[in-house]
Coordinates of all heavy atoms in Angstrom, one line a residue:
M232 N 36.5 9.4 -54.5 CA 35.8 9.0 -53.3 C 34.3 9.2 -53.5 O 33.5 8.4 -53.0 CB 36.3 9.9 -52.1 CG 35.7 9.6 -50.8 SD 36.4 8.0 -50.3 CE 35.8 8.0 -48.6
S233 N 33.9 10.3 -54.1 CA 32.5 10.5 -54.3 C 31.9 9.5 -55.2 O 30.7 9.2 -55.1 CB 32.2 11.9 -54.8 OG 32.7 12.1 -56.1
E234 N 32.6 9.0 -56.2 CA 32.1 8.0 -57.1 C 31.9 6.7 -56.3 O 30.9 6.0 -56.6 CB 33.1 7.7 -58.2 CG 33.2 8.8 -59.3 CD 31.8 9.0 -60.0 OE1 31.1 8.0 -60.3 OE2 31.5 10.1 -60.2
R235 N 32.7 6.4 -55.3 CA 32.5 5.2 -54.5 C 31.3 5.3 -53.7 O 30.5 4.4 -53.5 CB 33.7 5.0 -53.6 CG 33.7 3.8 -52.8 CD 35.0 3.5 -52.1 NE 34.9 2.3 -51.3 CZ 35.6 2.0 -50.3 NH1 36.5 2.9 -49.9 NH2 35.5 0.8 -49.7
I236 N 31.0 6.5 -53.1 CA 29.8 6.8 -52.4 C 28.5 6.6 -53.3 O 27.5 6.0 -52.9 CB 29.8 8.1 -51.7 CG1 30.9 8.1 -50.6 CG2 28.5 8.5 -51.0 CD1 31.2 9.5 -50.0
K237 N 28.6 7.2 -54.5 CA 27.5 7.1 -55.4 C 27.2 5.6 -55.8 O 26.1 5.2 -55.9 CB 27.8 7.9 -56.6 CG 27.7 9.4 -56.4 CD 28.0 10.1 -57.7 CE 28.0 11.6 -57.5 NZ 28.2 12.4 -58.7
T238 N 28.3 4.9 -56.0 CA 28.1 3.4 -56.3 C 27.5 2.7 -55.1 O 26.6 1.8 -55.3 CB 29.5 2.8 -56.6 OG1 30.1 3.6 -57.7 CG2 29.3 1.4 -57.1
L239 N 27.9 3.0 -53.9 CA 27.3 2.4 -52.7 C 25.9 2.7 -52.6 O 25.1 1.9 -52.3 CB 28.1 2.8 -51.5 CG 27.7 2.2 -50.2 CD1 27.9 0.7 -50.2 CD2 28.4 2.8 -49.0
L240 N 25.5 4.0 -52.8 CA 24.1 4.4 -52.6 C 23.2 3.7 -53.7 O 22.1 3.5 -53.4 CB 24.0 5.9 -52.7 CG 24.3 6.7 -51.5 CD1 24.3 8.2 -51.8 CD2 23.4 6.4 -50.3
A241 N 23.8 3.5 -54.9 CA 23.0 2.9 -55.9 C 22.8 1.4 -55.8 O 22.0 0.8 -56.5 CB 23.6 3.2 -57.3
S242 N 23.6 0.8 -54.9 CA 23.5 -0.7 -54.8 C 22.4 -1.1 -53.8 O 21.8 -0.3 -53.1 CB 24.8 -1.2 -54.2 OG 25.0 -0.9 -52.9
E243 N 22.0 -2.4 -53.9 CA 21.0 -2.9 -53.0 C 21.5 -3.0 -51.6 O 20.7 -3.1 -50.7 CB 20.6 -4.3 -53.5 CG 19.5 -4.3 -54.6 CD 19.0 -5.7 -54.9 OE1 18.8 -6.5 -53.9 OE2 18.8 -6.0 -56.0
K244 N 22.8 -3.0 -51.4 CA 23.3 -3.2 -50.0 C 22.9 -2.0 -49.1 O 22.7 -2.2 -48.0 CB 24.8 -3.2 -50.1 CG 25.3 -4.5 -50.7 CD 26.9 -4.5 -50.7 CE 27.4 -5.8 -51.3 NZ 28.8 -5.8 -51.4
T245 N 22.7 -0.8 -49.7 CA 22.3 0.3 -49.0 C 20.9 0.2 -48.5 O 20.6 0.4 -47.3 CB 22.4 1.6 -49.8 OG1 23.8 1.7 -50.3 CG2 22.1 2.8 -49.0
M246 N 20.0 -0.3 -49.3 CA 18.6 -0.5 -48.9 C 18.5 -1.6 -47.9 O 17.7 -1.5 -46.9 CB 17.7 -0.7 -50.1 CG 16.3 -0.5 -49.8 SD 16.0 1.2 -49.2 CE 14.6 0.9 -48.1
R247 N 19.4 -2.6 -48.0 CA 19.4 -3.7 -47.0 C 19.9 -3.1 -45.6 O 19.3 -3.5 -44.6 CB 20.4 -4.8 -47.4 CG 19.9 -5.6 -48.5 CD 20.9 -6.7 -48.8 NE 20.5 -7.4 -50.1 CZ 21.3 -8.1 -50.8 NH1 22.6 -8.3 -50.4 NH2 20.9 -8.7 -51.9
A248 N 20.8 -2.2 -45.6 CA 21.3 -1.6 -44.4 C 20.2 -0.8 -43.8 O 20.0 -0.8 -42.5 CB 22.5 -0.7 -44.7
V249 N 19.4 0.0 -44.6 CA 18.3 0.8 -44.0 C 17.3 -0.2 -43.4 O 16.8 0.1 -42.3 CB 17.7 1.6 -45.1 CG1 16.4 2.3 -44.7 CG2 18.7 2.7 -45.6
N250 N 16.9 -1.2 -44.1 CA 16.0 -2.2 -43.6 C 16.5 -2.9 -42.3 O 15.7 -3.1 -41.4 CB 15.7 -3.3 -44.7 CG 14.9 -2.7 -45.8 OD1 14.2 -1.8 -45.6 ND2 15.0 -3.4 -46.9
L251 N 17.8 -3.1 -42.2 CA 18.4 -3.7 -41.0 C 18.2 -2.7 -39.9 O 17.9 -3.2 -38.7 CB 19.9 -4.0 -41.3 CG 20.6 -4.5 -40.0 CD1 20.1 -5.9 -39.6 CD2 22.1 -4.6 -40.3
F252 N 18.4 -1.4 -40.1 CA 18.2 -0.5 -39.0 C 16.7 -0.4 -38.5 O 16.5 -0.3 -37.3 CB 18.7 0.9 -39.4 CG 20.1 1.1 -39.2 CD1 21.0 1.1 -40.3 CD2 20.7 1.3 -38.0 CE1 22.4 1.2 -40.2 CE2 22.0 1.5 -37.8 CZ 22.9 1.5 -38.9
F253 N 15.8 -0.5 -39.5 CA 14.4 -0.6 -39.1 C 14.1 -1.8 -38.3 O 13.4 -1.8 -37.3 CB 13.5 -0.5 -40.3 CG 13.2 0.9 -40.8 CD1 13.7 1.3 -42.0 CD2 12.5 1.8 -40.0 CE1 13.5 2.6 -42.5 CE2 12.3 3.1 -40.5 CZ 12.8 3.5 -41.7
L254 N 14.7 -3.0 -38.7 CA 14.5 -4.2 -37.9 C 15.1 -4.1 -36.5 O 14.5 -4.5 -35.5 CB 15.1 -5.4 -38.7 CG 15.0 -6.8 -38.0 CD1 13.6 -7.2 -37.9 CD2 15.9 -7.8 -38.8
L255 N 16.3 -3.6 -36.4 CA 17.0 -3.4 -35.1 C 16.2 -2.4 -34.2 O 16.1 -2.7 -33.0 CB 18.4 -2.8 -35.3 CG 19.4 -3.8 -35.8 CD1 20.8 -3.1 -36.0 CD2 19.6 -4.9 -34.8
S256 N 15.5 -1.4 -34.8 CA 14.8 -0.5 -34.0 C 13.5 -1.2 -33.4 O 13.1 -0.8 -32.3 CB 14.3 0.7 -34.8 OG 13.4 0.3 -35.8
M257 N 13.0 -2.2 -34.1 CA 11.9 -3.0 -33.5 C 12.4 -4.0 -32.5 O 11.7 -4.2 -31.5 CB 11.1 -3.7 -34.6 CG 10.3 -2.8 -35.5 SD 9.3 -3.7 -36.7 CE 10.5 -4.4 -37.8
L258 N 13.5 -4.6 -32.7 CA 14.1 -5.6 -31.8 C 14.6 -4.9 -30.5 O 14.6 -5.5 -29.4 CB 15.1 -6.4 -32.5 CG 14.6 -7.3 -33.6 CD1 15.8 -8.0 -34.3 CD2 13.6 -8.3 -33.1
I259 N 15.2 -3.8 -30.6 CA 15.8 -3.1 -29.5 C 15.2 -1.7 -29.4 O 15.8 -0.7 -29.8 CB 17.4 -3.0 -29.7 CG1 18.0 -4.3 -30.1 CG2 18.0 -2.4 -28.4 CD1 19.4 -4.2 -30.5
P260 N 14.0 -1.6 -28.8 CA 13.3 -0.3 -28.7 C 14.0 0.6 -27.7 O 14.6 0.1 -26.7 CB 11.9 -0.6 -28.4 CG 12.0 -2.0 -27.7 CD 13.2 -2.7 -28.3
G261 N 13.8 1.9 -27.8 CA 14.3 2.8 -26.8 C 15.7 3.3 -27.0 O 16.2 4.1 -26.2
L262 N 16.4 2.9 -28.0 CA 17.8 3.3 -28.2 C 18.0 4.5 -29.2 O 19.0 5.0 -29.4 CB 18.7 2.2 -28.6 CG 19.0 1.1 -27.5 CD1 19.9 0.0 -28.0 CD2 19.6 1.7 -26.3
G263 N 16.9 4.8 -29.9 CA 17.0 5.8 -30.9 C 17.4 5.4 -32.2 O 17.8 6.2 -33.1
I264 N 17.4 4.1 -32.4 CA 17.9 3.5 -33.7 C 16.9 3.9 -34.8 O 17.2 4.1 -35.9 CB 18.0 2.0 -33.6 CG1 19.1 1.6 -32.6 CG2 18.4 1.4 -35.0 CD1 19.2 0.2 -32.3
I265 N 15.6 4.1 -34.4 CA 14.6 4.4 -35.4 C 14.9 5.8 -36.0 O 14.6 6.0 -37.2 CB 13.2 4.5 -34.7 CG1 12.1 4.5 -35.7 CG2 13.0 5.6 -33.7 CD1 11.9 3.3 -36.5
Y266 N 15.5 6.7 -35.3 CA 15.8 8.0 -35.9 C 16.9 7.9 -36.9 O 16.8 8.5 -38.0 CB 16.3 9.0 -34.8 CG 15.2 9.2 -33.7 CD1 15.5 8.7 -32.4 CD2 14.0 9.7 -34.0 CE1 14.5 8.8 -31.4 CE2 13.0 9.9 -33.0 CZ 13.3 9.4 -31.7 OH 12.4 9.5 -30.7
L267 N 17.9 7.0 -36.6 CA 18.9 6.8 -37.6 C 18.4 6.1 -38.8 O 18.8 6.4 -40.0 CB 20.0 5.9 -36.9 CG 21.2 5.6 -37.8 CD1 22.0 6.9 -38.2 CD2 22.2 4.7 -37.0
A268 N 17.5 5.2 -38.6 CA 16.9 4.5 -39.8 C 16.1 5.4 -40.7 O 16.3 5.4 -41.9 CB 15.9 3.3 -39.2
Y269 N 15.3 6.3 -40.1 CA 14.6 7.3 -40.9 C 15.5 8.2 -41.6 O 15.3 8.6 -42.7 CB 13.6 8.0 -40.0 CG 12.3 7.3 -39.8 CD1 11.8 7.0 -38.5 CD2 11.5 6.9 -40.9 CE1 10.7 6.3 -38.3 CE2 10.3 6.2 -40.6 CZ 9.9 5.9 -39.4 OH 8.7 5.2 -39.2
L270 N 16.6 8.7 -40.9 CA 17.5 9.6 -41.5 C 18.2 9.0 -42.7 O 18.5 9.6 -43.7 CB 18.5 10.2 -40.5 CG 17.9 11.1 -39.5 CD1 18.9 11.5 -38.4 CD2 17.4 12.4 -40.1
L271 N 18.6 7.7 -42.5 CA 19.3 7.0 -43.6 C 18.3 6.8 -44.8 O 18.7 6.9 -46.0 CB 19.8 5.6 -43.2 CG 21.0 5.6 -42.3 CD1 21.3 4.2 -41.7 CD2 22.2 6.2 -43.0
W272 N 17.0 6.5 -44.5 CA 16.0 6.3 -45.5 C 15.8 7.7 -46.3 O 15.7 7.7 -47.5 CB 14.7 5.8 -44.9 CG 13.7 5.4 -45.9 CD1 13.9 4.8 -47.1 CD2 12.3 5.6 -45.8 NE1 12.7 4.6 -47.7 CE2 11.7 5.0 -47.0 CE3 11.5 6.1 -44.8 CZ2 10.3 5.0 -47.2 CZ3 10.1 6.1 -45.0 CH2 9.5 5.6 -46.2
I273 N 15.8 8.8 -45.5 CA 15.6 10.1 -46.2 C 16.8 10.4 -47.1 O 16.7 10.8 -48.2 CB 15.5 11.2 -45.1 CG1 14.1 11.1 -44.5 CG2 15.7 12.6 -45.7 CD1 13.9 12.0 -43.3
A274 N 18.0 10.1 -46.6 CA 19.2 10.3 -47.5 C 19.2 9.4 -48.7 O 19.5 9.9 -49.8 CB 20.5 9.9 -46.7
Y275 N 18.7 8.2 -48.6 CA 18.6 7.3 -49.7 C 17.6 7.9 -50.7 O 17.8 7.9 -51.9 CB 18.1 5.9 -49.2 CG 18.1 4.8 -50.2 CD1 19.2 4.2 -50.7 CD2 16.9 4.4 -50.7 CE1 19.2 3.2 -51.6 CE2 16.8 3.3 -51.6 CZ 18.0 2.7 -52.1 OH 17.9 1.7 -53.0
L276 N 16.4 8.4 -50.2 CA 15.4 8.9 -51.1 C 15.9 10.2 -51.8 O 15.6 10.4 -53.0 CB 14.1 9.2 -50.3 CG 13.4 7.9 -49.9 CD1 12.3 8.3 -48.9 CD2 12.8 7.1 -51.0
V277 N 16.6 11.0 -51.1 CA 17.1 12.3 -51.7 C 18.1 12.0 -52.8 O 18.1 12.6 -53.9 CB 17.8 13.2 -50.6 CG1 18.6 14.3 -51.2 CG2 16.7 13.7 -49.7
Y278 N 18.9 11.0 -52.6 CA 19.9 10.6 -53.6 C 19.1 10.1 -54.9 O 19.5 10.5 -56.0 CB 20.8 9.4 -53.1 CG 21.6 8.8 -54.2 CD1 22.7 9.5 -54.7 CD2 21.3 7.6 -54.8 CE1 23.5 9.0 -55.7 CE2 22.1 7.1 -55.8 CZ 23.2 7.8 -56.3 OH 24.0 7.3 -57.3
F279 N 18.0 9.4 -54.7 CA 17.3 8.9 -55.9 C 16.5 10.0 -56.5 O 16.2 9.9 -57.7 CB 16.5 7.7 -55.6 CG 17.3 6.4 -55.7 CD1 17.8 5.8 -54.5 CD2 17.7 5.9 -56.9 CE1 18.6 4.7 -54.6 CE2 18.5 4.8 -57.0 CZ 19.0 4.2 -55.9
I280 N 16.0 11.0 -55.8 CA 15.3 12.1 -56.3 C 16.3 12.9 -57.3 O 15.9 13.3 -58.4 CB 14.8 13.1 -55.2 CG1 13.6 12.5 -54.6 CG2 14.4 14.4 -55.8 CD1 13.0 13.2 -53.4
R281 N 17.5 13.1 -56.8 CA 18.5 13.8 -57.7 C 18.9 13.0 -58.9 O 19.3 13.5 -59.9 CB 19.7 14.1 -56.8 CG 19.4 15.2 -55.8 CD 20.6 15.6 -55.1 NE 20.3 16.6 -54.1 CZ 21.1 17.1 -53.2 NH1 22.3 16.6 -53.2 NH2 20.7 18.0 -52.4
R282 N 18.8 11.7 -58.8 CA 19.3 10.8 -59.8 C 18.3 10.5 -60.9 O 18.7 10.3 -62.1 CB 19.8 9.5 -59.2 CG 20.5 8.5 -60.1 CD 21.0 7.4 -59.4 NE 21.5 6.4 -60.3 CZ 21.4 5.1 -60.2 NH1 20.7 4.6 -59.2 NH2 21.8 4.3 -61.1
T283 N 17.0 10.5 -60.6 CA 16.0 10.1 -61.6 C 15.6 11.3 -62.4 O 15.6 12.5 -62.0 CB 14.8 9.5 -60.9 OG1 13.9 9.0 -61.9 CG2 14.1 10.5 -60.0
A284 N 15.1 11.0 -63.6 CA 14.5 12.0 -64.5 C 13.0 12.0 -64.4 O 12.4 13.0 -64.9 CB 15.0 11.8 -65.9
S285 N 12.4 11.0 -63.9 CA 10.9 10.8 -63.8 C 10.3 11.8 -62.8 O 10.7 11.7 -61.6 CB 10.6 9.4 -63.5 OG 9.2 9.3 -63.3
K286 N 9.4 12.6 -63.2 CA 8.7 13.5 -62.3 C 7.9 12.8 -61.3 O 7.7 13.2 -60.2 CB 7.9 14.5 -63.1 CG 7.4 15.7 -62.3 CD 6.8 16.7 -63.2 CE 6.5 17.9 -62.3 NZ 6.1 19.1 -63.1
T287 N 7.2 11.7 -61.8 CA 6.4 10.9 -60.9 C 7.2 10.3 -59.7 O 6.7 10.3 -58.6 CB 5.7 9.8 -61.7 OG1 5.0 10.3 -62.8 CG2 4.7 9.0 -60.8
I288 N 8.3 9.8 -60.0 CA 9.2 9.2 -59.0 C 9.7 10.2 -58.0 O 9.8 10.0 -56.8 CB 10.3 8.4 -59.6 CG1 9.7 7.1 -60.3 CG2 11.3 7.9 -58.5 CD1 10.7 6.3 -61.0
K289 N 10.0 11.4 -58.6 CA 10.4 12.5 -57.7 C 9.3 12.9 -56.7 O 9.6 13.1 -55.5 CB 10.8 13.7 -58.5 CG 12.2 13.5 -59.2 CD 12.5 14.8 -60.0 CE 13.9 14.6 -60.7 NZ 14.4 15.8 -61.3
I290 N 8.1 13.0 -57.2 CA 7.0 13.4 -56.3 C 6.7 12.3 -55.3 O 6.5 12.6 -54.1 CB 5.7 13.6 -57.2 CG1 5.9 14.9 -58.0 CG2 4.5 13.7 -56.3 CD1 4.8 15.1 -59.1
W291 N 6.8 11.0 -55.7 CA 6.5 9.9 -54.8 C 7.6 9.9 -53.7 O 7.3 9.7 -52.5 CB 6.5 8.6 -55.6 CG 6.3 7.4 -54.7 CD1 7.2 6.4 -54.4 CD2 5.2 7.1 -53.9 NE1 6.7 5.5 -53.5 CE2 5.4 5.9 -53.2 CE3 3.9 7.7 -53.7 CZ2 4.5 5.3 -52.3 CZ3 3.0 7.1 -52.8 CH2 3.3 5.9 -52.2
N292 N 8.9 10.0 -54.1 CA 9.9 10.0 -53.1 C 9.9 11.2 -52.2 O 10.2 11.1 -51.0 CB 11.3 9.9 -53.8 CG 11.6 8.6 -54.3 OD1 11.0 7.6 -54.0 ND2 12.6 8.5 -55.2
S293 N 9.4 12.3 -52.7 CA 9.2 13.5 -51.9 C 8.1 13.3 -50.8 O 8.3 13.7 -49.7 CB 8.9 14.7 -52.7 OG 9.9 15.0 -53.6
L294 N 7.1 12.6 -51.2 CA 6.0 12.3 -50.3 C 6.5 11.3 -49.2 O 6.2 11.4 -48.0 CB 4.8 11.7 -51.0 CG 4.0 12.6 -51.8 CD1 2.9 11.9 -52.7 CD2 3.3 13.7 -51.0
L295 N 7.4 10.4 -49.6 CA 7.9 9.5 -48.6 C 8.9 10.2 -47.7 O 8.9 9.8 -46.5 CB 8.7 8.3 -49.3 CG 7.8 7.3 -50.1 CD1 8.7 6.3 -50.8 CD2 6.9 6.6 -49.1
I296 N 9.6 11.2 -48.1 CA 10.4 12.0 -47.3 C 9.6 12.8 -46.2 O 9.9 12.8 -45.1 CB 11.3 13.0 -48.1 CG1 12.4 12.2 -48.8 CG2 12.0 14.0 -47.2 CD1 13.2 13.0 -49.8
V297 N 8.5 13.3 -46.7 CA 7.5 14.0 -45.8 C 7.0 13.0 -44.7 O 7.0 13.3 -43.5 CB 6.4 14.7 -46.5 CG1 5.3 15.2 -45.6 CG2 6.9 15.8 -47.4
L298 N 6.7 11.8 -45.2 CA 6.2 10.8 -44.2 C 7.3 10.4 -43.2 O 7.0 10.4 -42.0 CB 5.8 9.5 -45.0 CG 5.4 8.3 -44.1 CD1 4.1 8.5 -43.4 CD2 5.4 7.0 -45.0
A299 N 8.5 10.2 -43.7 CA 9.6 9.9 -42.8 C 9.8 11.0 -41.8 O 10.1 10.8 -40.6 CB 10.8 9.6 -43.5
S300 N 9.8 12.3 -42.2 CA 10.0 13.4 -41.4 C 8.9 13.5 -40.3 O 9.1 13.8 -39.1 CB 10.0 14.7 -42.2 OG 11.0 14.7 -43.1
C301 N 7.6 13.2 -40.7 CA 6.5 13.2 -39.8 C 6.7 12.1 -38.7 O 6.4 12.3 -37.5 CB 5.2 13.1 -40.5 SG 4.7 14.5 -41.4
M302 N 7.2 11.0 -39.2 CA 7.4 9.9 -38.2 C 8.5 10.2 -37.2 O 8.4 9.8 -36.1 CB 7.7 8.6 -39.0 CG 6.5 8.0 -39.8 SD 5.1 7.8 -38.8 CE 5.6 6.5 -37.7
I303 N 9.5 10.9 -37.7 CA 10.6 11.3 -36.8 C 10.0 12.3 -35.7 O 10.3 12.1 -34.5 CB 11.8 12.0 -37.5 CG1 12.5 11.0 -38.3 CG2 12.7 12.7 -36.5 CD1 13.6 11.5 -39.2
A304 N 9.2 13.2 -36.2 CA 8.6 14.2 -35.3 C 7.6 13.5 -34.3 O 7.7 13.8 -33.1 CB 7.8 15.3 -36.1
V305 N 6.8 12.6 -34.7 CA 5.9 11.8 -33.8 C 6.7 11.0 -32.8 O 6.4 11.0 -31.6 CB 5.0 10.9 -34.7 CG1 4.2 10.0 -33.8 CG2 4.0 11.8 -35.4
N306 N 7.7 10.3 -33.3 CA 8.5 9.5 -32.3 C 9.2 10.4 -31.3 O 9.3 10.1 -30.1 CB 9.6 8.7 -33.1 CG 9.0 7.5 -33.7 OD1 8.2 6.8 -33.1 ND2 9.3 7.2 -35.0
L307 N 9.7 11.6 -31.7 CA 10.4 12.5 -30.8 C 9.3 13.0 -29.8 O 9.6 13.1 -28.6 CB 11.0 13.7 -31.5 CG 12.4 13.4 -32.1 CD1 12.8 14.6 -33.0 CD2 13.4 13.2 -31.0
Y308 N 8.1 13.3 -30.3 CA 7.1 13.8 -29.4 C 6.8 12.8 -28.3 O 6.7 13.1 -27.1 CB 5.8 14.1 -30.2 CG 4.6 14.4 -29.3 CD1 4.5 15.7 -28.7 CD2 3.6 13.5 -29.1 CE1 3.4 16.0 -27.8 CE2 2.5 13.8 -28.3 CZ 2.4 15.0 -27.7 OH 1.4 15.3 -26.9
F309 N 6.6 11.6 -28.7 CA 6.2 10.5 -27.7 C 7.4 10.2 -26.8 O 7.2 9.9 -25.6 CB 5.7 9.3 -28.4 CG 4.2 9.5 -28.8 CD1 3.9 9.4 -30.2 CD2 3.2 9.7 -27.9 CE1 2.6 9.6 -30.6 CE2 1.9 9.8 -28.3 CZ 1.6 9.8 -29.7
M310 N 8.6 10.3 -27.3 CA 9.8 10.1 -26.5 C 9.9 11.2 -25.4 O 10.1 10.9 -24.2 CB 11.1 10.0 -27.3 CG 12.3 9.7 -26.5 SD 13.8 9.8 -27.5 CE 14.0 11.6 -27.5
L311 N 9.7 12.4 -25.8 CA 9.9 13.5 -24.9 C 8.7 13.6 -23.9 O 8.8 14.0 -22.7 CB 10.0 14.8 -25.6 CG 11.3 15.0 -26.4 CD1 11.2 16.3 -27.2 CD2 12.5 14.9 -25.5
R312 N 7.5 13.1 -24.4 CA 6.3 13.1 -23.5 C 6.4 12.1 -22.4 O 6.0 12.3 -21.3 CB 5.1 12.8 -24.4 CG 3.8 12.9 -23.6 CD 2.7 12.7 -24.6 NE 1.4 12.7 -23.8 CZ 0.4 12.0 -24.2 NH1 0.4 11.3 -25.3 NH2 -0.7 12.0 -23.4
S313 N 7.1 10.9 -22.7 CA 7.2 9.9 -21.7 C 8.4 10.1 -20.8 O 8.4 9.5 -19.7 CB 7.4 8.5 -22.4 OG 8.6 8.5 -23.1
A314 N 9.2 11.1 -21.1 CA 10.4 11.3 -20.2 C 10.1 12.2 -19.1 O 9.2 12.8 -18.8 CB 11.5 11.9 -21.1

């Protein structure tokens, strides 16, 4: 079962799904789809950090994870502020 998950994460279909969630979050705002999109993107980046041997790619993906985490925090702040 874990091999199947690893194969799925390594395929282009996973990144397409993440992109689809970002697109849906723009088309249907206010449902919290953006949080799911960022969480999926973080999971995708973590998988590739563990998989790669390149230190540069690990640093770059770590920076992208920090960016995604900040975006989640900013979106939560504005969502709670408007409520």
Side-chain angles (χ1 to χ4, degrees):
M232 184 71 171
S233 66
E234 287 299 320
R235 186 173 180 203
I236 293 172
K237 287 180 184 180
T238 304
L239 180 66
L240 282 173
S242 71
E243 273 189 40
K244 291 180 182 179
T245 305
M246 198 60 212
R247 285 183 194 163
V249 172
N250 290 335
L251 177 67
F252 276 103
F253 278 111
L254 179 65
L255 285 175
S256 71
M257 287 188 294
L258 295 175
I259 312 169
L262 290 180
I264 298 172
I265 191 72
Y266 305 112
L267 181 61
Y269 278 121
L270 290 174
L271 287 174
W272 189 36
I273 289 171
Y275 187 76
L276 291 171
V277 167
Y278 173 74
F279 277 103
I280 285 174
R281 292 183 178 173
R282 188 173 173 219
T283 189
S285 172
K286 191 169 185 169
T287 305
I288 292 175
K289 287 182 180 186
I290 292 170
W291 178 249
N292 284 346
S293 298
L294 290 172
L295 289 175
I296 289 172
V297 169
L298 173 70
S300 301
C301 290
M302 292 304 296
I303 289 173
V305 167
N306 280 316
L307 277 173
Y308 171 76
F309 283 115
M310 182 186 79
L311 295 174
R312 185 174 175 212
S313 67

